[in-house]
Amino acid sequence: MKALLAANSTSCCVYLAPSHFLRHNRRFLNLKELRKVDGIVIRTPRCSMDVSLGGSYNYENIPKFPRMNVRDPYKRLGISHDASEEEIREARNFLLEQYAGHERSEESIEAAYEKILMASFRERKKSKINLKSRLKKKVDESPPWVKTLISFVELPPTDIILRRLFLFAFMGAWSIMNSAESGPAFQVALSLLACIYFLNDKMKNVVRASITGFGALVVGWIAGSLLVPMIPSVLLQPTWTLELLTSLVSFVFMFLACTFLK
């Protein structure tokens, strides 16, 4: 490690310090008083005589960023237009370190970096809008029966989806753990009540919510009765009965009904 050198005279003060030391302590130093010569950062603070005589700094030897006036932010940072976010960030940090102490250079580098970030944000936002527009166009071009089905469906917030998914997943796991002792009738009844409760919260009609919830249970039970026999027996545990597997399919249908139906 290069030793710390200090030289004092009657008119100026010069301090030399290792680059890595100053790099870790930059927040304690005035960046305008730093310049780099052969890997060593030179700090030239104001001396007492300069202060008393009203002296000022001379920053003519501080390196200046040569691409300050380049309009293209990518070319200003010296990267290609298909550079990744990590490459953009590394280029910006490298240039800020190389031209530390020159205010206009630092401002130019930061401006280019922020301009690239804003352009990337606008592109992402535009792609999301385009995706929604394409989906809406597909729906508008779909047959009438598809539009009718879609009119009964809504997409709730993510937290609601996750909470209800956890509830019905818990019911399924509970049914599997008790499969050797008893059937899943109790868990199915609780799931049906939860489904009706969630549907009534949206529909504000107990009768309609009850019919919809019971219908989801029946459709799920019928679908399970048709699908379960197709599952190879080697994939199933000996204690997993047809009633248990059918109830698991019913849980899925009740979850979909109380979560995504209007």
Side-chain angles (χ1 to χ4, degrees), residues 2 18 24 60 87 116 134 138-139 168 175 180 194 206 229 231:
K2 298 178 181 178
H24 290 291
E60 294 180 356
E87 292 172 337
I116 293 174
R134 289 196 297 268
K138 289 289 185 182
V139 172
F168 286 96
S175 301
V206 178
I231 303 176

Side-chain angles (χ1 to χ4, degrees), residues 34-224:
L34 299 177
R35 62 188 180 93
K36 187 176 292 185
V37 178
D38 295 332
I40 299 177
V41 178
I42 300 177
R43 187 186 186 199
T44 56
R46 184 187 297 269
C47 299
S48 57
M49 182 172 291
D50 292 335
V51 174
S52 62
L53 296 178
S56 60
Y57 294 108
N58 183 3
Y59 299 117
E60 294 180 356
N61 294 328
I62 296 179
K64 299 179 182 179
F65 186 43
R67 298 191 297 273
M68 281 190 292
N69 297 324
V70 176
R71 298 188 61 182
D72 189 332
Y74 290 91
K75 293 182 179 179
R76 190 185 303 177
L77 296 184
I79 56 178
S80 61
H81 284 262
D82 56 351
S84 63
E85 291 185 6
E86 184 178 357
E87 292 172 337
I88 297 171
R89 186 166 53 252
E90 289 178 354
R92 170 243 191 187
N93 293 340
F94 173 78
L95 292 174
L96 284 177
E97 183 176 357
Q98 187 175 8
Y99 297 100
H102 192 269
E103 186 175 355
R104 286 192 58 201
S105 298
E106 293 175 346
E107 291 177 353
S108 177
I109 294 167
E110 288 287 7
Y113 179 71
E114 293 175 1
K115 191 173 182 179
I116 293 174
L117 289 184
M118 290 301 298
S120 177
F121 173 76
R122 286 193 294 267
E123 284 295 327
R124 292 178 182 176
K125 188 175 181 180
K126 185 178 179 180
S127 63
K128 291 181 180 179
I129 295 174
N130 290 339
L131 178 60
K132 291 181 180 179
S133 301
R134 289 196 297 268
L135 290 175
K136 187 176 183 301
K137 185 177 180 180
K138 289 289 185 182
V139 172
D140 293 339
E141 295 175 352
S142 59
W145 64 271
V146 175
K147 295 180 182 179
T148 304
L149 289 178
I150 294 176
S151 64
F152 291 102
V153 178
E154 67 177 1
L155 184 63
T158 305
D159 59 331
I160 293 179
I161 296 175
L162 293 178
R163 285 200 299 266
R164 295 180 185 178
L165 177 62
F166 174 79
L167 172 63
F168 286 96
F170 172 77
M171 291 296 180
W174 187 11
S175 301
I176 293 174
M177 288 187 294
N178 293 341
S179 60
E181 301 175 2
S182 60
F186 181 66
Q187 290 85 351
V188 171
L190 286 179
S191 299
L192 177 59
L193 291 176
C195 181
I196 293 173
Y197 172 80
F198 292 137
L199 287 169
N200 182 60
D201 188 52
K202 292 190 292 185
M203 298 177 176
K204 308 301 181 183
N205 189 322
V206 178
V207 176
R208 183 185 171 194
S210 301
I211 294 174
T212 305
F214 188 75
L217 173 62
V218 172
V219 172
W221 201 271
I222 295 173

